[in-house]
Amino acid sequence: MVDLDLDKFFDRVHWERLLARLGKLVKDDRLIALIRRMLKARVVMPDGVVVTTEEGTPQGGPLSPLLSNIVLDELDWELSRRGHRFVRYADDQNIYVRSQRAGERVMANVRDFIERKLRLKVNLGQERRGETRGAALSRVPAQARS
């Protein structure tokens, strides 16, 4: 299994790419303008400091799950096109493979697609349940392959 996590995903979403993708799906320019304003809105931190951002989506905001799915829909289509079995929740993704070697190949190809096409970064260093995220490879149990 390739256990893939996108590094600081919600902080790095490229606004213009997101809005262009959204514009292909939604024909109401008012909705696109409203989402653009939400993305550009300043955030007041608990200590009163006002923060402005140039990219990313407000994590935990009501639109974050929807916007993450719009951004990563292209990755889902690419993985399906390549015939992979996978599960994704927001920026966490598991891609099921049959061997360590296949996992390494898939990881390299998917990482290239994510960084080149989606302009995002794969998190290679975070530990989870004893596995290295982004490079966690193991055999898929027989019942998961059927």
Side-chain angles (χ1 to χ4, degrees), residues 19 22-23 26-41 63:
L19 293 169
L22 192 58
V26 176
K27 299 306 175 199
D28 186 347
D29 291 338
R30 296 172 302 164
L31 181 60
I32 304 294
L34 182 63
I35 292 172
R36 181 184 300 276
R37 286 179 44 207
M38 187 223 46
L39 291 171
K40 290 185 175 188
L63 282 181

Side-chain angles (χ1 to χ4, degrees), residues 11-12 15 32 35 38 41 44-45 47-48 69 71 73-74 83 86 88-89 98 103-104 107 113 115 120 128 135 140:
D11 296 335
R12 292 189 171 154
W15 290 349
I32 304 294
I35 292 172
M38 187 223 46
V44 179
M45 303 302 279
D47 59 1
N69 281 332
V71 169
D73 184 57
E74 200 170 349
F86 62 93
R88 180 178 60 77
Y89 180 78
R98 293 180 184 246
E104 290 167 357
M107 181 62 186
F113 178 84
E115 292 181 355
L120 297 166
R128 181 171 75 179
V140 176

Side-chain angles (χ1 to χ4, degrees), residues 80 106 119 122:
S80 292
V106 167
R119 299 182 187 177
V122 174

Side-chain angles (χ1 to χ4, degrees), residues 2 6 8 10 26 37 62 80 86 88 96 110 119 133:
V2 176
L6 300 179
K8 298 181 182 176
F10 290 99
V26 176
R37 286 179 44 207
S80 292
F86 62 93
R88 180 178 60 77
Y96 300 99
V110 170
R119 299 182 187 177
R133 291 187 110 176

